[in-house]
Amino acid sequence: MSQTQQHPQYPPFQPPQQPQQQIARNGLGTAALILGIIGALSGLIPIMFWLAGVLGVVALILGLTGRGRAKRGEATNKGVALAGVILAVLSLGLAAFGAYTTFKAVGDAVDEINKSVSDTKAKDTKTSGDAKDKGTSDSGTGEKSDEKPDAGKALEAGDSVVYDDDLTVTVSNAVAYSPSEFAAGHTKGNHAYKVTVTVTNDSKEKFDSTLLTADARAGKDGVDAEQVFDEKVGTGFDGTILPGKKATVVYAFDTPAAAKNLTVEVTPSFEYDATQWDLKL
């Protein structure tokens, strides 16, 4: 009788398992380095201080976070993150310096402009401390008078004022005016009067007439005389006046019915002193 020999059973062969490798999270450190470089380069231009500051703050946050990952073994670019942090700090320093330089330059420019305007006014002011104009007047004959008018007294209708740069302003007498039905600035029961303002440019440079303003007060109480606007009056001066040329504009003002005089004040621009004319109504 034969016996059947049985062989032991072995489990199938399995290769040893390799430990799973963790993927390095290097993105924050790399981003910190890139933003730090851009921020530092932007900081080299003072006027770009704002961009350097923003990028510096972002790069600093990303760089510190990237270094934290590297310390925990989640990233392998600890040096890159450190470089990003250093460049971020450099960007912030350049941003602070650029802001100081920019604001200081703007402040110096404003001070220089104010000083220039003040010097111009001081140079053109009369030695007596009166208005800037020479004060030569014109009684309507077309010839300039050598007599200087009293700075505390308004000019009369038809008189002219000649400024130091030979810019001449003349205001005519006040003439009754009937505003149109759709006129603005006219109150029912009031009287409207029109005056003609003529600017003659005898200087060597063109004059920007758009800055000229004309205002008025009426009566012994000096109430504001509102300017009237309709299709005929109220447009004001426009454009420039070339040397040797003149421009004329008609203004209309609304006055109380009982007003006996109209004081018109004309200012050619902020570089000139205002001059007043006292017109009889």
Side-chain angles (χ1 to χ4, degrees), residues 23-217:
I23 300 176
R25 302 169 64 186
N26 297 333
L28 294 182
T30 303
L33 178 63
I34 295 174
L35 295 180
I37 293 175
I38 299 175
L41 293 177
S42 301
L44 296 177
I45 306 174
I47 199 173
M48 299 293 290
F49 68 89
W50 57 273
L51 180 60
V54 172
L55 294 180
V57 171
V58 177
L60 182 61
I61 295 174
L62 296 180
L64 293 176
T65 306
R67 287 200 65 196
R69 285 185 177 181
K71 288 182 179 181
R72 295 192 300 269
E74 299 175 1
T76 60
N77 61 343
K78 181 178 180 180
V80 173
L82 177 60
V85 172
I86 295 174
L87 289 174
V89 174
L90 177 61
S91 299
L92 294 175
L94 292 174
F97 177 76
Y100 169 77
T101 303
T102 301
F103 290 126
K104 186 176 185 301
V106 172
D108 292 343
V110 172
D111 292 341
E112 188 66 26
I113 293 174
N114 293 335
K115 182 180 177 181
S116 176
V117 173
S118 299
D119 291 344
T120 300
K121 289 185 177 180
K123 181 180 66 175
D124 293 338
T125 301
K126 297 184 299 183
T127 57
S128 62
D130 296 335
K132 180 184 178 223
D133 57 90
K134 286 182 178 178
T136 57
S137 63
D138 185 342
S139 299
T141 60
E143 297 180 356
K144 296 175 184 177
S145 171
D146 293 334
E147 181 182 357
K148 295 183 179 180
D150 185 357
K153 182 180 179 182
L155 301 180
E156 297 180 356
D159 288 347
S160 299
V161 60
V162 182
Y163 291 90
D164 286 342
D165 57 358
D166 291 330
L167 184 76
T168 303
V169 179
T170 306
V171 175
S172 71
N173 60 318
V175 179
Y177 179 70
S178 297
S180 66
E181 180 182 358
F182 302 102
H186 177 59
T187 302
K188 185 177 181 180
N190 286 357
H191 293 171
Y193 294 88
K194 64 179 182 180
V195 296
T196 302
V197 178
T198 302
V199 178
T200 303
N201 184 14
D202 290 328
S203 68
K204 296 181 180 180
E205 298 181 357
K206 61 183 180 180
F207 171 71
D208 185 4
S209 64
T210 57
L211 300 178
L212 185 144
T213 59
D215 302 296
R217 294 186 296 273

